[in-house]
Amino acid sequence: NLYKKYGDYVALDGFNLNLCQGENLVIMGKSGSGKSVMIKCLIGLEIPDSGTIEIMSQKLEHLSLKALDEIRADIGFLFQGSALYDSMTVRENLEFPLRRHISKFGNVKDTLPLVEEALQNVGLKNVIDLMPNELSGGMKRRVALARTLILKPKIIIYDEPTTGLDPITSKEIILLMKSVQEKYKTSSIIITHDVDCARVIANRMILLIDGKNYAEGTFAELSTSQDPKVKAFFK
């Protein structure tokens, strides 16, 4: 029941979300519908005006900064556009979260096995010493996913994972996301406009309109709806 307002703009208007263990939940919404604000609230970067966020039996509003940081170590985030550090090699990009979350893994002296394992899990070889500008768009997205997986998160949030990719690469990333969920048993929230992505990966979908859960159901249920607002998402 989240509410968040900026001046006269109502970003979230009683939004509700339940994510089940091992589930891929797709959230679709137009620009300005509240998706980005919802994500920021979920990871504690924004504080809702009212409502409750509970993650793995812990209420965010009751957590200290240290406890919130520990929760974040269990939440992987694949940024739109990958968001790799341009001045770091692939290896350094993957090592960064390990050093940031020392409390989860301890002071890892030899990070190479963890980096190589993460790259192997996204189907990449021989890129460990490359710079981001030496990678294709699809390779950058895979490296970004490897960086997300290296902390072995329980929840992964994907923000427009196929944006800016060609159709073939988009399909590869979608299938990779599906295999990651099956291998790691993660729970995932996927923010996307990509209908093909939703068709392949969604166990359940929420259509977010004007900060509210306008419709919820499986892809089959929503894609055959006769509601004009729902039909507009599947044209």
Side-chain angles (χ1 to χ4, degrees):
N1 200 27
L2 295 186
Y3 287 83
K4 183 67 178 177
K5 189 176 181 182
Y6 302 91
D8 294 329
Y9 168 58
V10 179
L12 297 175
D13 191 9
F15 179 75
N16 291 289
L17 179 152
N18 289 300
L19 178 66
C20 301
Q21 188 169 354
E23 177 183 37
N24 282 335
L25 174 63
V26 167
I27 299 178
M28 297 182 77
K30 298 185 297 183
S31 297
S33 61
K35 302 188 302 299
S36 295
V37 175
M38 179 270 296
I39 289 175
K40 290 177 182 178
C41 287
L42 287 184
I43 57 177
L45 293 178
E46 289 276 5
I47 299 174
D49 297 329
S50 63
T52 300
I53 300 172
E54 186 173 312
I55 299 178
M56 291 175 282
S57 302
Q58 298 192 67
K59 292 186 178 180
L60 258 60
E61 62 263 36
H62 296 159
L63 297 180
S64 65
L65 287 176
K66 181 180 179 182
L68 179 59
D69 203 39
E70 290 174 356
I71 284 281
R72 286 174 175 160
D74 282 327
I75 302 175
F77 201 109
L78 184 68
F79 294 90
Q80 183 177 345
S82 303
L84 299 176
Y85 295 104
D86 292 336
S87 60
M88 295 182 179
T89 64
V90 168
R91 176 175 179 170
E92 290 168 337
N93 266 279
L94 268 66
E95 288 174 332
F96 186 85
L98 292 174
R99 304 192 190 287
R100 177 68 180 81
H101 293 286
I102 290 175
S103 60
K104 184 170 182 177
F105 281 88
N107 191 6
V108 181
K109 293 182 180 179
D110 186 8
T111 60
L112 183 59
L114 292 173
V115 170
E116 289 179 335
E117 178 190 4
L119 290 173
Q120 182 179 351
N121 285 333
V122 297
L124 282 180
K125 295 180 180 179
N126 305 319
V127 301
I128 194 168
D129 295 318
L130 297 182
M131 302 297 290
N133 63 7
E134 298 177 285
L135 305 174
S136 67
M139 291 170 73
K140 287 180 181 178
R141 205 64 51 92
R142 286 173 181 265
V143 170
L145 182 53
R147 185 177 60 184
T148 299
L149 293 174
I150 204 165
L151 289 178
K152 296 180 169 53
K154 297 175 182 176
I155 299 169
I156 299 180
I157 300 174
Y158 297 90
D159 186 13
E160 301 287 358
T162 59
T163 293
L165 302 178
D166 63 81
I168 294 175
T169 305
S170 293
K171 185 176 181 180
E172 290 175 350
I173 295 298
I174 293 166
L175 294 176
L176 179 58
M177 290 163 60
K178 191 174 177 65
S179 69
V180 162
Q181 190 269 342
E182 291 169 352
K183 180 174 181 177
Y184 285 87
K185 309 301 180 187
T186 54
S187 305
S188 302
I189 297 173
I190 302 106
I191 312 296
T192 186
H193 291 97
D194 188 336
V195 174
D196 288 332
C197 177
R199 180 187 295 112
V200 172
I201 207 165
N203 299 124
R204 185 165 54 94
M205 295 180 65
I206 291 175
L207 301 186
L208 181 58
I209 299 179
D210 297 329
K212 299 178 182 179
N213 308 56
Y214 184 82
E216 188 170 335
T218 65
F219 182 91
E221 290 167 344
L222 295 182
S223 63
T224 55
S225 170
Q226 296 306 304
D227 184 317
K229 289 187 178 181
V230 175
K231 288 175 70 175
F233 282 90
F234 298 93
K235 288 183 178 179

